[in-house]
C-alpha cells in the first residue's frame, strides 16, 4: 500500500516509517521539523543527536534496502499539502503532524495559539480537503489521545456512548473534557473529522493513544542514528521516559502532586503495530472508527516505584519526590477505559516488565553524559 506519514520526523513518525516500509509498504514522509525548531527555541534537546530525514532515509535504505520518500515543508500551507498529494497519491495516511505536548501548549500565547491551535487544526483541515480533492477513498489514520476523554467518573468506552434519554436512544461520540489546550485541539480534530465523515463520507480511524514509552523498535536495533527523537525534558518528554532518565542521573523522580493520576500506557513497539494494523484493516467508507490505544494502566506512583525498584537492581540510587503539581488535573480518580478493538485486530501487547524497564535504563545509561539536568524541570504552570 502507498502510505503517507504526516509528521514523519517525530518520536513516532520515523519509527513508523521504518516499520511500514519493512512490511513492504511504499512509504513517504512529510515534515517541517517543527519539533526540532520548538526544542531549539525552548533551549532543550533530545537525549542524542538525531540526523535529519534525508540522512536517516539514506541510512535506512543502505541497511534494509527499503526506500522512503521525503517531503520537507509546512502542511499548514495548502500549496505544500497539494504538492505532496499530487506527487505521491497515498492509499493510506498516518496523521502525526501536530504539536504533541500538553505543557508546551500551556507555555505562552504564541505556543498556544500559533504552534498548537493554528498548527494542529490547519494541518487536519488541509488534510481533509486534500483527501476530498485528490483521493476520497484514502483511509486516514489519525493519532488522537486518551486525554480527549479526561478522567470521568464512569467507564470510558471506545469512542462512542449509547445514550437513552426520555425513552429515546442515540449513539454519540463519548463525552470529551480534556486537561490541556493540546488535548483540546485533539478533540477539535475528532469533531472536524467526524463532521466530514458524515458529510463527505471520508474513511477515518481515530487512535486514542495513551502516553508512549521506549526508544528501541525492531527496526532501530541499537543503532542510535535510527532511534526516535527521544525527549526527556518537561516540555516534550512523556512521564516514563522522563523517570528513566531521571533515575540514570540520580535526579529524584518528579511525581506531580499525589501521584494517583492514572493513564493507559504503551510501548512504542505497540504504537507501530496499532498503526500498521489499522492501515492493513481499514475503516469503511463513511465510517469514523475509534480505538483506545494503550495496553495497561498505571498511576504515576506505580510507575515511579517500578523505576525505583528496577533502577536499584541495576545499582542506581533512585529517590522519588512528590512536587507541587504544575498542572490542573485530578490526582485521585476513577479510571476504567475499555481497549478491545486493537486486540481484536491482532495486537500482541508488549507489557512493561522488569526486563523491558531494565533494557530501557541500560540504553539510557549509554547517553548519560548527554543529559542536561536543567531541562528536567521548569514548572510550566497551567494557571
Ligand atoms: N507527570 C508526572 N511527572 C512528570 C511528568 C508527568 O507526575 O515529570 C504526570 C502528569 O501530571 C500526568 C501523567 O504523568 O498526570 C502523564 O503525563 P505525560 O506528560 O506523560 O502525558 P501527557 O502530558 O498527557 O501527554 C502525553 C503525550 C501526548 C499524548 C498523551 C496521551 O505528550 O502527545 O497525547 O501523553 S494521554 O496522557 O493519554 O492523553
Amino acid at each position: 500500500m502507498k502510505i503517507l506519514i504526516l509528521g514523519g520526523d517525530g518520536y513516532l513518525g520515523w519509527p513508523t516509517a521504518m516499520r511500514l516500509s519493512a512490511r513492504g509498504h511504499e512509504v513517504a514522509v512529510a515534515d517541517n521539523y517543527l519539533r526540532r525548531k520548538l526544542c531549539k527555541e525552548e533551549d532543550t534537546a533530545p537525549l542524542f543527536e538525531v540526523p535529519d530525514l534525508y540522512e536517516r532515509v539514506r541510512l535506512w535504505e543502505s541497511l534494509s534496502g527499503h526506500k522512503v520518500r521525503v517531503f520537507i515543508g509546512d502542511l499548514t500551507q495548502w500549496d505544500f499539502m497539494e504538492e505532496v498529494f499530487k506527487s505521491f497519491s497515498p492509499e493510506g495516511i498516518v496523521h502525526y503532524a501536530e504539536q504533541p505536548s500538553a505543557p508546551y501548549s500551556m507555555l505562552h500565547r504564541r505556543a498556544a495559539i500559533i504552534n498548537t491551535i493554528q498548527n494542529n487544526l490547519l494541518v487536519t483541515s488541509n488534510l481533509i480537503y486534500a483527501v476530498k480533492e485528490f483521493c476520497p477513498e484514502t483511509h486516514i489514520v489519525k493519532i488522537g489521545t486518551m486525554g480527549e476523554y479526561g478522567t470521568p467518573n464512569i467507564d470510558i468506552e471506545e469512542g462512542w456512548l449509547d445514550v437513552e434519554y426520555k425513552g429515546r436512544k442515540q449513539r454519540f461520540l463519548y463525552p470529551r473534557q480534556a486537561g490541556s489546550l493540546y488535548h483540546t485541539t485533539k478533540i477539535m480534530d475528532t469533531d472536524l473529522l467526524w463532521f466530514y465523515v458524515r458529510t463527505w463520507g471520508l474513511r477515518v480511524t481515530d487512535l486514542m493513544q495513551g502516553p508512549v514509552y521506549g526508544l528501541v523498535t525492531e527496526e532501530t536495533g541499537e543503532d542510535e542514528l535510527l532511534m526516535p527523537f527521544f525527549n526527556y525534558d518537561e516540555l516534550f518528554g512523556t512521564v516514563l521516559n522522563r523517570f528513566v532518565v531521571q533515575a540514570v542521573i540520580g535526579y529524584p523522580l518528579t511525581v506531580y502532586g499525589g501521584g494517583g493520576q492514572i493513564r493507559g500506557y504503551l510501548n512504542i513497539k505497540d504504537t507501530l503495530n496499532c498503526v500498521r494494523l489499522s492501515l492493513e484493516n481499514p475503516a469503511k467508507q463513511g465510517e469514523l472508527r475509534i480505538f483506545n490505544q494503550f495496553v495497561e494502566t498505571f498511576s504515576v506512583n506505580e510507575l515511579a516505584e517500578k523505576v525505583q525498584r528496577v533502577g536499584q537492581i541495576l545499582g542506581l540510587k533512585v529517590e522519588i519526590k512528590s512536587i507541587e503539581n504544575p498542572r490542573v488535573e485530578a490526582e485521585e480518580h476513577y479510571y476504567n477505559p475499555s481497549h478491545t478493538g486493537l486486540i481484536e485486530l491482532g495486537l500482541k501487547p508488549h507489557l512493561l516488565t522488569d526486563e523491558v524497564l531494565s533494557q530501557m535504563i541500560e540504553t539510557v545509561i549509554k547517553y548519560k553524559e548527554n543529559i542536561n539536568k536543567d531541562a528536567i524541570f521548569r514548572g510550566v504552570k497551567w494557571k
Side-chain angles (χ1 to χ4, degrees), residues 48 58 77 140 147 193 244 274 323 336 360:
F48 34 78
R58 273 193 294 274
Q77 302 301 308
I140 301 172
L193 288 163
V244 166
C274 291
I323 53 182
N336 189 27
M360 249 181 102

Side-chain angles (χ1 to χ4, degrees), residues 46 109-110 114 149 151 153 175 209 212 241 251 268 301 328 381:
R109 195 186 56 80
R110 188 169 51 83
I114 309 292
Y149 304 122
T151 52
N153 198 29
Q209 183 167 245
V212 181
N241 289 349
Y251 192 106
I268 188 168
N301 283 331
V328 176
K381 288 206 166 47

Side-chain angles (χ1 to χ4, degrees), residues 225-246:
L225 297 175
L226 293 177
M227 282 200 220
F229 199 96
F230 184 93
N231 283 96
Y232 59 89
D233 56 278
E234 177 181 318
L235 290 178
F236 294 103
T238 49
V239 63
L240 183 59
N241 289 349
R242 281 167 56 67
F243 283 178
V244 166
V245 168
Q246 292 167 9

Side-chain angles (χ1 to χ4, degrees), residues 9 32-44 104 110 114-115 229 236:
D9 187 51
N32 63 344
Y33 296 132
L34 178 69
R35 170 78 155 260
R36 295 177 189 245
K37 181 172 159 269
L38 300 184
C39 283
K40 284 215 167 80
E41 279 177 14
E42 296 304 328
D43 192 23
T44 182
Y104 179 79
R110 188 169 51 83
I114 309 292
N115 293 330
F229 199 96
F236 294 103

Side-chain angles (χ1 to χ4, degrees), residues 100 145-147 182-183 209-210 239 242 254 256 261 300 327 329:
T145 168
M146 285 299 292
Y182 151 73
H183 288 98
Q209 183 167 245
V239 63
R242 281 167 56 67
T254 53
Y256 293 168
Q261 305 92 309
V300 173
R327 305 184 182 198
E329 62 183 354

Side-chain angles (χ1 to χ4, degrees), residues 5-300:
I5 301 173
L6 307 180
D9 187 51
Y11 175 54
L12 303 175
W14 172 248
T16 304
M18 289 193 292
R19 163 101 302 203
L20 294 174
S21 70
R23 287 275 300 184
H25 296 294
E26 190 181 335
V27 176
V29 291
D31 210 295
N32 63 344
Y33 296 132
L34 178 69
R35 170 78 155 260
R36 295 177 189 245
K37 181 172 159 269
L38 300 184
C39 283
K40 284 215 167 80
E41 279 177 14
E42 296 304 328
D43 192 23
T44 182
L47 183 60
F48 34 78
E49 286 263 348
V50 176
D52 69 25
L53 274 171
Y54 288 111
E55 279 180 60
R56 293 213 280 198
V57 160
R58 273 193 294 274
L59 177 62
W60 173 238
E61 188 179 343
S62 73
L63 294 171
S64 71
H66 300 296
K67 289 185 195 304
V68 172
R69 278 184 70 183
V70 177
F71 296 91
I72 299 298
D74 181 354
L75 293 159
T76 67
Q77 302 301 308
W78 171 251
D79 290 354
F80 178 63
M81 185 72 87
E82 186 179 37
E83 178 197 322
V84 173
F85 271 72
K86 280 186 172 162
S87 99
F88 187 69
S89 309
E91 294 158 308
I93 297 166
V94 185
H95 174 17
Y96 290 124
E98 302 214 337
Q99 189 301 96
S101 158
Y104 179 79
S105 74
M106 306 299 290
L107 189 58
H108 46 57
R109 195 186 56 80
R110 188 169 51 83
I113 296 177
I114 309 292
N115 293 330
T116 307
I117 298 182
Q118 186 171 305
N119 184 75
N120 294 2
L121 298 182
L122 282 181
V123 176
T124 300
S125 310
N126 276 340
L127 168 63
I128 288 167
Y129 266 81
V131 169
K132 161 121 184 314
E133 187 163 336
F134 301 112
C135 49
E137 285 167 23
T138 291
H139 177 213
I140 301 172
V141 175
K142 166 77 178 60
I143 293 292
T145 168
M146 285 299 292
E148 292 183 40
Y149 304 122
T151 52
N153 198 29
I154 57 171
D155 291 354
I156 296 174
E157 302 302 327
E158 239 162 333
W160 304 95
L161 186 68
D162 293 316
V163 176
E164 201 177 332
Y165 184 65
K166 294 187 178 170
R168 305 183 72 82
K169 287 184 190 158
Q170 167 81 43
R171 169 166 280 215
F172 291 100
L173 280 173
Y174 190 94
R176 280 101 19 95
Q177 38 189 5
S180 78
L181 177 72
Y182 151 73
H183 288 98
T184 302
T185 61
K186 296 294 221 185
I187 294 176
M188 294 169 175
D189 280 337
T190 300
D191 283 336
L192 284 171
L193 288 163
W194 177 215
F195 172 69
Y196 286 110
V197 164
R198 296 195 312 271
T199 309
W200 289 346
L202 301 187
R203 58 199 316 200
V204 178
T205 299
D206 203 349
L207 296 174
M208 302 295 170
Q209 183 167 245
V212 181
Y213 61 86
L215 31 47
V216 172
T217 69
E218 279 171 48
E219 288 76 26
T220 59
E222 292 295 309
D223 191 335
E224 72 180 68
L225 297 175
L226 293 177
M227 282 200 220
F229 199 96
F230 184 93
N231 283 96
Y232 59 89
D233 56 278
E234 177 181 318
L235 290 178
F236 294 103
T238 49
V239 63
L240 183 59
N241 289 349
R242 281 167 56 67
F243 283 178
V244 166
V245 168
Q246 292 167 9
V248 165
I249 55 162
Y251 192 106
L253 307 189
T254 53
V255 169
Y256 293 168
Q261 305 92 309
I262 305 171
R263 301 287 184 269
Y265 290 85
L266 73 166
N267 191 307
I268 188 168
K269 292 177 181 170
D270 287 337
T271 296
L272 307 192
N273 283 328
C274 291
V275 168
R276 176 184 66 75
L277 284 164
S278 301
L279 286 162
E280 292 175 356
N281 303 278
K284 292 193 277 293
Q285 200 76 46
E287 182 190 14
L288 170 63
R289 182 176 62 166
I290 304 180
F291 294 130
N292 292 344
Q293 184 163 309
F294 68 93
V295 301
E296 50 193 335
T297 58
F298 298 107
S299 69
V300 173

